[in-house]
Amino acid sequence: MKSYERRRVRDLDISGKEVWLDLRVRQFSCDCGRYFHERFEWVAPGKCHTRRQAKFIFECCAKQPFSEVGALYNIAPKTVERIYYEYAEGVINLPTRYAQLRKLGIDELSLRKGKGDYCCILVDLERVIELDLLPDRKKASIITHFEQLGPDFCQQIEEVCFDMWGPYADVAKRCFPNARLTIDRFHVVKALNEVLDSTPKALRSQHPKQAAFKSLKWHLFKPPHKLTDQQTQLLEAAFQQAPQLEQAYTLRNTFHAIFDQANTKEEAKTWLNQWIEDVMFTQQKQWDKFLKTLDNWKDPILNFVESRISNAATEGRNNLIRYVKRISFGMPNFKHLRIRVLATSR
C-alpha cells in the first residue's frame, strides 16, 4: 500500500437532504511498478455518484425533462442527461430483445411534421414493446438492418404485420422466408370508413337543409349492437331519405362480419369474393378505390383471419415516442431519441 486519497460521492437523498459520502481510497503499488486505487462495487470508476443514485436519476427521467430532474435534486441538467444515457445504454439489451422476437410489427412515424422525415418503428407484438427504431423507412436501409442480424434471426420470425405500403411487403418477403404476412386491419378499416363517410358527405352537399343527413358520422361508424335507441332512430330516418346510404352502411357491416366470424382463410375468401360481387352490383363509383386495394392486398388482408394480429400495439406505442419528444421539448438527435424510447419501453 502506497498512500490514500479522498473521494466525494453523491448518494440517494434522505428526507429531501443531499447525502455525500467522503471516501478514503487506498492506493496500491505492484511489483511491476504499476500503481492503482481501491475500487468499490457500488461506485462506477471515475464517477462522483453511486450506482443506486444513477438508477434513481434514470427512473426519475422516465416521465420528466432533464431540466426538471436537475432542479429537483440540485444537479446540473447536463449531468442528469449524461447519467441517464450512460445508464440507459446498459439496460436496453438489444441482443436479448431480438433473440426473443417472433411476431414483428413494422410502422413509421414522422419526426418532423410536413418534412417527409420518417423513422421506422419495429415492435414486438407479443410483448408490446418497441424493439428498435431505424433512422429512415427506405427499403434498402431496412433490408440491410435485418440482414446484418443474420439468417438465424430472419428464420425465427413467424408473423409480420404492416400497413399497405409496398416497400414493407418487399422487405418482409425478402428477409423473413418463414413468416406469414398480415396487413394491419386498422388501415383496411380506415379505407373502408372513408368510403362510407363519402356517402353522407355527398348527401349533405346535395341537400344542405336536410336535417336527417347531419351529425351521422359517428353513428355510422359505431357497431350496430352498441347504438342507443335514439341513435338507431336517427339512422333509420336518414336511410328512409337515402337508400344508398343504408346500402353502404350494410356493406360496411357485412365486411366486418366476414373477418369476425370466419374460422378459416378459405372461408373468409369465399365470403369476401361474394361481398365484392355485391359491391360491384351497386355500381357506385366511391367503392372503386377500395376494391382496387382489396385486389392488390387480398392475400395478406385475409391472413388476419388466422393470425389475428394487428399493428394496434404499434400505433399505440407511437404515442410513447410523441410523449418522449414532448417532454424533451423536441429531440433533433435521433440517437438520443432512440435510446430514450427503447429505455422507456422494456
Side-chain angles (χ1 to χ4, degrees), residues 21-128:
L21 307 179
D22 286 317
L23 306 180
R24 188 171 184 239
V25 185
R26 292 175 292 181
Q27 185 187 58
F28 299 92
S29 61
C30 179
D31 293 339
C32 65
R34 176 175 169 265
Y35 292 86
F36 57 95
H37 289 89
E38 180 179 12
R39 291 191 176 185
F40 305 96
E41 292 183 359
W42 39 275
V43 183
K47 302 300 179 183
C48 59
H49 52 265
T50 62
R51 294 186 188 275
R52 62 183 181 181
Q53 171 73 352
K55 180 182 179 182
F56 177 74
I57 294 299
F58 169 79
E59 292 173 347
C60 288
C61 292
K63 295 185 178 181
Q64 297 180 89
F66 298 142
S67 57
E68 288 188 11
V69 175
L72 285 171
Y73 301 103
N74 193 27
I75 306 174
K78 278 295 180 182
T79 302
V80 173
E81 180 180 350
R82 184 171 63 253
I83 292 173
Y84 177 86
Y85 286 121
E86 287 175 354
Y87 194 91
E89 290 276 11
V91 302
I92 290 175
N93 197 4
L94 278 177
T96 300
R97 288 180 186 237
Y98 279 106
Q100 296 175 348
L101 180 67
R102 294 296 179 271
K103 297 182 179 182
L104 171 66
I106 306 177
D107 199 11
E108 71 278 336
L109 183 70
S110 176
L111 294 174
R112 295 182 298 168
K113 289 293 184 181
K115 302 294 183 180
D117 188 10
Y118 292 93
C119 68
C120 182
I121 306 168
L122 308 179
V123 172
D124 186 327
L125 296 177
E126 285 186 301
R127 290 176 292 162
V128 195

Side-chain angles (χ1 to χ4, degrees), residues 83-303:
I83 292 173
Y84 177 86
Y85 286 121
E86 287 175 354
Y87 194 91
E89 290 276 11
V91 302
I92 290 175
N93 197 4
L94 278 177
T96 300
R97 288 180 186 237
Y98 279 106
Q100 296 175 348
L101 180 67
R102 294 296 179 271
K103 297 182 179 182
L104 171 66
I106 306 177
D107 199 11
E108 71 278 336
L109 183 70
S110 176
L111 294 174
R112 295 182 298 168
K113 289 293 184 181
K115 302 294 183 180
D117 188 10
Y118 292 93
C119 68
C120 182
I121 306 168
L122 308 179
V123 172
D124 186 327
L125 296 177
E126 285 186 301
R127 290 176 292 162
V128 195
I129 62 169
E130 267 87 357
L131 177 73
D132 207 346
L133 268 70
L134 307 182
D136 61 65
R137 61 170 184 171
K138 297 177 181 177
K139 181 169 70 172
S141 301
I142 303 174
I143 289 175
T144 300
H145 174 77
F146 287 134
E147 288 182 343
Q148 286 176 345
L149 295 171
D152 290 342
F153 165 77
C154 293
Q155 291 173 6
Q156 79 185 26
I157 305 302
E158 301 170 359
E159 306 274 359
V160 182
C161 186
F162 48 88
D163 58 28
M164 291 175 287
W165 197 54
Y168 289 159
D170 295 339
V171 168
K173 291 175 182 177
R174 174 168 173 173
C175 296
F176 308 118
N178 301 327
R180 176 167 49 195
L181 312 185
T182 302
I183 292 295
D184 178 30
R185 188 176 178 183
F186 168 81
H187 291 87
V188 179
V189 171
K190 181 181 177 182
L192 180 63
N193 286 343
E194 288 175 356
V195 178
L196 178 60
D197 192 35
S198 66
T199 303
K201 281 183 177 179
L203 291 171
R204 287 194 297 271
S205 178
Q206 296 168 10
H207 310 282
K209 296 183 180 180
Q210 179 58 262
F213 301 143
K214 296 179 180 180
S215 303
L216 287 178
K217 181 173 182 177
W218 302 117
H219 302 337
L220 289 170
F221 293 167
K222 198 172 182 180
H225 64 278
K226 292 186 178 181
L227 291 170
T228 65
D229 292 340
Q230 183 181 6
Q231 292 169 344
T232 301
Q233 291 173 5
L234 289 173
L235 287 180
E236 289 176 350
F239 294 159
Q240 289 177 2
Q241 299 290 329
Q244 69 269 33
L245 178 60
E246 182 178 15
Q247 189 178 53
Y249 178 74
T250 303
L251 286 169
R252 183 253 191 189
N253 292 336
T254 303
F255 183 89
H256 281 300
I258 291 172
F259 289 87
D260 291 337
Q261 298 176 15
N263 295 316
T264 65
K265 181 178 176 180
E266 288 303 316
E267 185 178 35
K269 185 176 182 179
T270 302
W271 292 352
L272 183 60
N273 288 336
Q274 181 59 54
W275 183 87
I276 291 173
E277 291 183 10
D278 294 341
V279 172
M280 294 177 67
F281 183 76
T282 66
Q283 297 183 345
Q284 295 182 10
K285 294 296 183 182
Q286 67 264 32
W287 290 99
D288 291 351
K289 183 178 179 180
F290 185 72
L291 292 179
K292 184 177 180 181
T293 298
L294 288 181
D295 185 57
N296 291 337
W297 299 97
K298 182 183 291 186
D299 189 69
I301 288 175
L302 286 169
N303 281 339

